[in-house]
Amino acid sequence: MASSYGNRPRPPPPPPPPPPPGPMAGMAAPSHGSRTSSASHSATTTNGHRSTNVNAAHTNSRSQSHSSRSSGGTSSSTSTSTSTSNLLAQPTPNLESRLSLLRTESTNLSTTLTQRLATSQSGQNLLHIGPSLQSLPPDLHSLLKSLRPILDEVEQYETSSRGELGRIVDCGNSIRTALRRVREAEDCSEIYDDLCQSEGEVRAEGDRLRKRGGGAGGGGGGGRSSGSGGGRGRNVGFVTPTKGGGRRGSGGGIEDSVDGGIDDWDDPDGTDDCSDELDHVASLERAAHTTLHLVQELKSSTAEVTSLTSVHKPDVVNTANTGDAKSSTADAAVSSSSTAALPNLRAPLPDDTDKAQFLMKLAPRIRRLEADTVRALTARLEEVLGQMKSRKDDERESGTGGDGGGGSNSSAANGAVTATSGTIGTDSAAEERDLLMIGHCLRGLALLGRGKEAEGAFARVAIMPLIRSKVSMGRLDEGGARGQCTGLSSLLDDIAQTIYASFGSVLQLSEATFGATDAGPVEIDLVTAGVWAPLATALMADPAIKMALFSPGIAGILQANYTALDSFLGVLASSLLKDGAAEGDGLGGTNTAAAIADGSFAPLYFRPAVSADIIQAAQARLYRHPLTTDFNKKWNLPIYYQLRFGECCTRLNKAMTRVQEEGWEADVYTGDEAFSAELRNKLGFELPLFLELYDALVWLWRPDVVLRPLSHRFLRGATQLVGRLVAFIRDGLEGRIRFGEKPPPKIEPKAVAGDQEENGSAKVNGDHNVDPDSSYVWGERLEDVAAVAWELTLLESSITHDYAETVAATIAPPGASSTNNESELEDLRGIISDALVEASQDIAPMIRQSWSDVIVGILTAKCSAPLSAVKGVAATYRMTNRPPPQQPSPFVSTILRPLSEFYGSYSSRTPPQVGERWKMAIVYTVSERYSAAVEELIATVERTESALKSRKIRRAASGASGMSDGDKVKLQLFLDHKEFADNVSSLGLDVDTVPGLVELKALTEAAVTLHAQNVAGY
């Protein structure tokens, strides 16, 4: 290419500049064209045939481009002549403008072509010669022709290299495929060996059980045990392949196995000695591990084959729905992309389903192995649990084995897992071995996701026989009458202690292995599904027991039954898992080292450590179990609440009826006298009706009455009782009910009608049922209103303080809740207090009404009654010739006497929210009325004096004293004012702040001089 580039012809010189504009500019175009033609001819002659071809091609391209721009589509000669004639006809400025436009268009087209060349591979190969079209050689044809041999050689070399690379890649892929097949073959061989080994282990377990004449069969470990020995007397039913390529069915026959079975199997060498039992159970757990791996491989292979078989279905659908043109375009795009891509050893190999197909052929055997492994583990678990139960029963019957396990102490000794003597927590090697085997069985079942089988086996073998032996109506009613369920609490405690003594170590082992501290689901939950579920089912299944426990006919029995079962369920996890954690780790100590030196490795065994968090999580699972929800639905708690609330309403209604008949002092209290004395001394209640109400409110929260699920209902009932009493008081205060009324006597029908008067009176009595001489409105009695208002004050205070503490302590006892933290308990107490405050919000307005309206009104009327004597002062001195007064009038001391006496009696029982306002209201009103009466009297006296014109009459009226009758009246009013002011001061009020007294002082101020003269003269 370098030589070609060096020998290429030089580009022609640039064309001469256009002639200057002028008249001859149009005539220069033909001569210039002639010169160009002659130059082209001479170049053709000089350079030979190649230059001629190039110029011809160049001329061709120019004519074609010119033809493309022509509008009529005529021949090149005709268009050229026409264009030339048009150009000659145009003026010079137009030609210059046209030339400028052509140059601009040429520049733009050159830039566009350069950009397009830069974006393509072939264009880039050309552009490396020059940065733009101006630098490219004009003779491109010669350049391409000279480059063609080199390009052909490069293409041939590239083709051969691509073919060699493809051959190498094919060989490499063949090697990779072979290696993959080798690895898959090794994997399949290992899988097949594991399958055969696991089948042999499971078959050996089945043979061992058959040799013993028992075992556990049935699908998936199911079926009901016929005895406490863990499924004795049942056929095993394992169907794992045996020698000869067949499989042994439940009847001992030989059937054809899938894919030829397993050839040339030998029976195991070992026997079923006691020393080999642990190895057998450990082999079953290993078989569970292998089975889990095989099942996972089978699922993966099934998914792989399914994806490969379904990958072409969308393509078929698209091809069927689209046209041939779209399909051709897609195929072309795929072929071009695959052609452009080079073969690569890093490309993934095509999918191979040989291993997947091999595993799918083994699918029946894998599934059969899974079922047989579950049967074997379940059968072994039932057998070991049965052995443990029989051993514990024998120990209790013989009175040995840690005091027989009769009480809680013996139960703890038998069942608790401790770290003494270097054991797992048991006192016998047999139980130690049983716990190890149970651990293998539980872990194996958990691996296979068959925790339900383990839970069912534990419930069938360990719990249900115990429940059937203990739960009965006779045991339920022990110590009481039929249907009272007095023995329920002792029965539940006995069941929990027996389970703990017999299988506490098993439960602790299960929780320590599978338990979680986050209260989430676990693989195996023996506490919930193994203990609580069968017990709850037994209590709900028996019709007689169900009726005795859940019948709401007698509220006391229902409450006792619910409390006993709720308490039992609330501590079930802790009672079964207590003392499950050893204090020391048991590893590395002196005793451990000594035991290992003696050949005992028991201290190195797994020790179940049940923490408090695990116990709490187990308890939470008990509450969340669906069976617990169904069990709680059996209680007809709303009916129980109605019964209890009805009792309180009956007490309160009876008390209010007697109070209405006999008055507020009626002895209606029916509670405990000791509690009545406590209420009187501590809270200050005096009226029996309020004592009865408060006793009923407290009775709702007694331990033998309240139920925690009904706390909100009991709280609402308490507020309703308070509201009922408040409504009764309001009706009496406002006069809607009358006290002293008694129920009408029964009127016997008379055989002969009496006279009309007798019949009329009887009709009146029958209509009104009121004795007009004895009935009254207690709101008009000052003492009753004050006493009731004070009791309401005490009730409001006790409800929002003492009673709120009683309710909170019952619902959320401090330090006794394991499910709520302190902040939640405080929030709960706040909610209770707010509810009771809202319930008592109607009491305060009634107290204010009693004092501000009723008491103030009654006392104001009583204090205003003596003010009628003010008018008699003028009559006392008019034309009577009496001496001037020396002391106040007798009626003045009686004006505020009712207020003084009432204040002396009830000053200590005045509600704090009332204060002194009620007393000031009475004094203000009475003082204003007093000053008004005095003002009216003085005005009358002055009118009388002005009417007495005759001096003689005035002198006669003045008498010897020289003081007129009017002055005597004014002097008397002055003395009365001083006495009244002293009485107001004795009540603790400032006389200068009483408007009526200030006005009264101003009215009697004129008599101050008269009083001084009278005192001096006297």
Side-chain angles (χ1 to χ4, degrees):
M1 295 178 65
S3 59
S4 300
Y5 182 79
N7 296 331
R8 68 182 181 181
R10 295 182 177 271
M24 300 302 295
M27 300 299 295
S31 62
H32 180 67
S34 302
R35 286 195 302 270
T36 305
S37 302
S38 61
S40 300
H41 178 71
S42 62
T44 303
T45 306
T46 306
N47 296 329
H49 181 69
R50 185 175 61 185
S51 300
T52 303
N53 293 337
V54 172
N55 287 333
H58 182 62
T59 306
N60 249 348
S61 64
R62 290 178 57 192
S63 63
Q64 289 176 3
S65 63
H66 185 72
S67 299
S68 64
R69 289 192 298 268
S70 64
S71 60
T74 59
S75 62
S76 61
S77 59
T78 306
S79 61
T80 303
S81 60
T82 305
S83 300
T84 303
S85 60
N86 293 335
L87 290 174
L88 293 175
Q90 292 181 1
T92 302
N94 292 342
L95 293 175
E96 291 179 353
S97 174
R98 183 63 179 270
L99 178 62
S100 176
L101 292 175
L102 290 175
R103 287 178 178 175
T104 303
E105 184 178 1
S106 175
T107 303
N108 294 337
L109 292 175
S110 176
T111 303
T112 303
L113 179 60
T114 304
Q115 293 176 354
R116 292 183 178 180
L117 290 176
T119 56
S120 63
Q121 184 66 32
S122 58
Q124 292 177 1
N125 295 334
L126 291 175
L127 286 179
H128 81 278
I129 302 174
S132 64
L133 292 178
Q134 286 76 8
S135 60
L136 291 177
D139 194 359
L140 295 179
H141 181 75
S142 60
L143 176 62
L144 293 176
K145 186 175 181 181
S146 62
L147 293 178
R148 176 58 61 185
I150 299 176
L151 293 177
D152 292 340
E153 294 178 1
V154 172
E155 289 178 357
Q156 293 176 2
Y157 176 77
E158 181 181 2
T159 302
S160 62
S161 299
R162 182 183 292 273
E164 183 68 18
L165 177 61
R167 186 183 63 81
I168 295 173
V169 170
D170 291 341
C171 294
N173 288 337
S174 299
I175 296 173
R176 291 168 61 195
T177 302
L179 289 176
R180 184 178 66 179
R181 291 178 63 85
V182 170
R183 288 194 299 267
E184 290 182 351
E186 293 175 353
D187 293 342
C188 292
S189 177
E190 292 179 0
I191 289 173
Y192 189 76
D193 291 341
D194 292 340
L195 175 63
C196 295
Q197 183 179 1
S198 299
E199 287 175 338
E201 292 170 352
V202 174
R203 181 169 56 86
E205 178 67 14
D207 293 340
R208 185 193 68 82
L209 292 177
R210 278 191 292 272
K211 289 178 182 179
R212 290 193 174 187
R224 185 177 295 274
S225 175
S226 59
S228 62
R232 297 188 179 99
R234 291 173 7 192
N235 197 359
V236 177
F238 294 163
V239 290
T240 53
T242 59
K243 182 178 179 180
R247 60 190 179 97
R248 181 174 299 160
S250 59
I254 302 297
E255 303 174 4
D256 295 334
S257 64
V258 179
D259 299 330
I262 305 173
D263 297 330
D264 298 330
W265 276 20
D266 295 329
D267 293 331
D269 297 333
T271 60
D272 291 331
D273 297 331
C274 294
S275 59
D276 296 334
E277 288 186 354
L278 283 176
D279 294 337
H280 283 299
V281 180
S283 67
L284 290 178
E285 185 180 357
R286 288 194 298 271
H289 279 274
T290 303
T291 304
L292 177 63
H293 174 68
L294 293 175
V295 171
Q296 292 175 347
E297 289 285 347
L298 179 59
K299 291 180 179 179
S300 176
S301 300
T302 305
E304 181 180 357
V305 172
T306 303
S307 62
L308 289 177
T309 55
S310 61
V311 69
H312 299 294
K313 293 181 180 180
D315 296 340
V316 174
V317 173
N318 292 333
T319 304
N321 294 334
T322 56
D324 294 336
K326 295 183 178 179
S327 301
S328 304
T329 305
D331 294 338
V334 172
S335 63
S336 63
S337 62
S338 60
T339 303
L342 294 175
N344 188 4
L345 284 175
R346 296 180 180 179
L349 293 174
D351 295 328
D352 185 12
T353 62
D354 292 343
K355 180 180 177 181
Q357 292 177 359
F358 173 78
L359 286 172
M360 292 184 68
K361 290 181 180 180
L362 295 178
R365 291 176 60 179
I366 294 175
R367 295 300 182 185
R368 190 165 58 245
L369 173 63
E370 181 183 11
D372 290 345
T373 304
V374 172
R375 293 191 190 98
L377 289 170
T378 306
R380 174 67 74 158
L381 178 62
E382 291 181 352
E383 180 184 9
V384 177
L385 290 173
Q387 293 173 0
M388 290 185 66
K389 184 178 184 303
S390 300
R391 185 170 59 252
K392 292 296 182 180
D393 292 342
D394 295 340
E395 290 176 359
R396 280 192 291 270
E397 291 176 0
S398 61
T400 60
D403 297 334
S408 59
N409 295 331
S410 61
S411 300
N414 287 331
V417 179
T418 61
T420 59
S421 302
T423 65
I424 302 177
T426 63
D427 295 332
S428 64
E431 187 169 355
E432 197 174 293
R433 183 192 65 234
D434 292 344
L435 286 177
L436 290 175
M437 290 190 291
I438 289 173
H440 287 304
C441 295
L442 293 179
R443 288 190 293 272
L445 291 172
L447 282 172
L448 297 177
R450 297 299 187 91
K452 299 298 182 183
E453 308 294 337
E455 296 167 355
F458 183 78
R460 287 193 307 272
V461 177
I463 304 303
M464 287 306 298
L466 186 147
I467 293 175
R468 284 193 293 265
S469 64
K470 290 183 177 294
V471 178
S472 64
M473 282 302 303
R475 181 68 176 84
L476 199 62
D477 294 331
E478 184 178 2
R482 183 72 173 177
Q484 291 187 355
C485 300
T486 54
L488 179 60
S489 297
S490 61
L491 172 62
L492 295 175
D493 292 340
D494 186 20
I495 291 175
Q497 291 175 7
T498 305
I499 294 175
Y500 177 71
S502 300
F503 303 102
S505 56
V506 178
L507 296 172
Q508 293 158 9
L509 174 64
S510 174
E511 286 299 323
T513 306
F514 306 104
T517 58
D518 57 353
V522 295
E523 293 88 348
I524 297 177
D525 190 359
L526 295 185
V527 175
T528 301
V531 177
W532 167 242
L535 178 58
T537 303
L539 295 177
M540 292 188 294
D542 191 292
I545 295 177
K546 179 181 177 181
M547 179 61 67
L549 289 178
F550 302 106
S551 177
I554 303 177
I557 296 178
L558 179 66
Q559 197 274 343
N561 294 342
Y562 181 89
T563 303
L565 283 165
D566 185 65
S567 301
F568 169 78
L569 182 60
V571 298
L572 180 59
S574 59
S575 61
L576 295 179
L577 303 175
K578 59 185 176 181
D579 299 331
E583 293 298 333
D585 56 2
L587 300 177
T590 305
N591 296 334
T592 303
I596 295 175
D598 294 339
S600 174
F601 295 95
L604 299 178
Y605 292 157
F606 172 72
R607 297 180 183 178
V610 183
S611 63
D613 293 337
I614 292 179
I615 295 176
Q616 186 175 356
Q619 187 64 48
R621 292 196 300 272
L622 281 171
Y623 284 126
R624 290 200 311 270
H625 196 271
L627 189 61
T628 305
T629 304
D630 296 338
F631 188 82
N632 290 331
K633 290 180 180 179
K634 300 297 181 182
W635 302 103
N636 202 341
L637 298 185
I639 298 298
Y640 172 77
Y641 166 74
Q642 293 296 334
L643 294 175
R644 292 302 194 184
F645 184 67
E647 295 179 24
C648 293
C649 290
T650 301
R651 288 183 59 183
L652 186 61
N653 289 336
K654 289 182 178 179
M656 289 189 299
T657 301
R658 284 194 57 190
V659 167
Q660 185 176 356
E661 295 174 359
E662 304 176 12
W664 288 105
E665 298 296 333
D667 188 9
V668 296
Y669 181 71
T670 58
D672 186 18
E673 292 298 332
F675 186 66
S676 173
E678 180 182 355
L679 292 180
R680 294 177 185 274
N681 297 329
K682 182 179 179 180
L683 301 181
F685 287 114
E686 295 180 358
L687 296 181
L689 179 60
F690 287 86
L691 294 174
E692 182 75 359
L693 171 66
Y694 200 83
D695 182 76
L697 293 176
V698 175
W699 179 82
L700 287 173
W701 303 99
R702 283 172 47 181
D704 58 343
V705 176
V706 68
L707 294 178
R708 287 178 60 86
L710 296 176
S711 299
H712 62 291
R713 292 179 179 264
F714 278 87
L715 186 60
R716 184 184 63 188
T719 59
Q720 289 176 348
L721 292 177
V722 174
R724 177 70 181 90
L725 179 63
V726 171
F728 173 76
I729 295 174
R730 181 184 295 108
D731 291 341
L733 191 64
E734 296 176 358
R736 286 193 288 269
I737 60 174
R738 300 178 65 87
F739 276 27
E741 297 180 350
K742 296 183 179 180
K746 290 185 178 181
I747 302 177
E748 297 294 336
K750 297 181 179 181
V752 180
D755 54 1
Q756 294 296 328
E757 182 179 357
E758 184 177 354
N759 290 336
S761 62
K763 182 178 180 180
V764 171
N765 292 334
D767 289 341
H768 296 281
N769 297 326
V770 176
D771 186 0
D773 297 332
S774 61
S775 65
Y776 63 94
V777 177
W778 69 267
E780 299 175 355
R781 295 189 174 187
L782 188 62
E783 292 76 10
D784 288 349
V785 175
V788 171
W790 177 245
E791 296 290 315
L792 286 174
T793 304
L794 298 177
L795 179 63
E796 180 187 20
S797 176
S798 60
I799 284 178
T800 55
H801 295 84
D802 298 84
Y803 189 70
E805 290 296 330
T806 301
V807 175
T810 303
I811 298 177
S817 178
S818 60
T819 58
N820 302 100
N821 53 38
E822 287 299 326
S823 62
E824 293 173 341
L825 295 179
E826 288 299 327
D827 294 340
L828 181 60
R829 296 187 184 98
I831 293 173
I832 295 171
S833 179
D834 293 341
L836 294 176
V837 169
E838 184 178 357
S840 61
Q841 64 183 359
D842 293 335
I843 297 179
M846 189 176 298
I847 295 173
R848 289 192 294 270
Q849 178 186 1
S850 300
W851 281 84
S852 302
D853 297 340
V854 180
I855 293 178
V856 169
I858 295 175
L859 288 177
T860 301
K862 290 184 176 182
C863 294
S864 300
L867 295 179
S868 60
V870 175
K871 297 180 180 180
V873 174
T876 302
Y877 294 99
R878 184 178 299 123
M879 299 182 191
T880 58
N881 199 20
R882 286 190 175 186
Q886 301 294 331
Q887 57 186 2
S889 302
F891 74 90
V892 176
S893 61
T894 63
I895 296 176
L896 297 179
R897 182 178 298 169
L899 176 59
S900 300
E901 294 176 352
F902 179 82
Y903 180 71
S905 301
Y906 292 94
S907 59
S908 60
R909 290 181 288 179
T910 303
Q913 61 266 34
V914 175
E916 300 289 333
R917 293 192 300 272
W918 66 278
K919 187 170 51 175
M920 296 176 62
I922 297 173
V923 173
Y924 284 2
T925 303
V926 174
S927 299
E928 290 176 357
R929 294 179 180 179
Y930 190 15
S931 62
V934 170
E935 183 179 7
E936 182 180 358
L937 179 61
I938 292 176
T940 303
V941 171
E942 289 179 352
R943 285 195 303 269
T944 303
E945 287 186 345
S946 62
L948 296 176
K949 300 293 185 178
S950 174
R951 186 186 298 251
K952 182 177 181 180
I953 296 176
R954 289 198 302 271
R955 188 182 303 115
S958 61
S961 62
M963 187 179 296
S964 64
D965 294 341
D967 294 337
K968 293 178 182 179
V969 171
K970 293 179 181 179
L971 180 58
Q972 183 66 57
L973 293 176
F974 173 76
L975 296 176
D976 294 344
H977 159 255
K978 289 185 61 179
E979 178 69 15
F980 183 75
D982 294 340
N983 293 337
V984 172
S985 300
S986 64
L987 293 174
L989 300 178
D990 186 5
V991 295
D992 295 333
T993 60
V994 180
L997 282 175
V998 174
E999 185 178 357
L1000 190 60
K1001 181 179 180 181
L1003 291 173
T1004 59
E1005 190 174 6
V1008 174
T1009 305
L1010 296 176
H1011 177 63
Q1013 295 176 357
N1014 187 30
V1015 171
Y1018 180 79

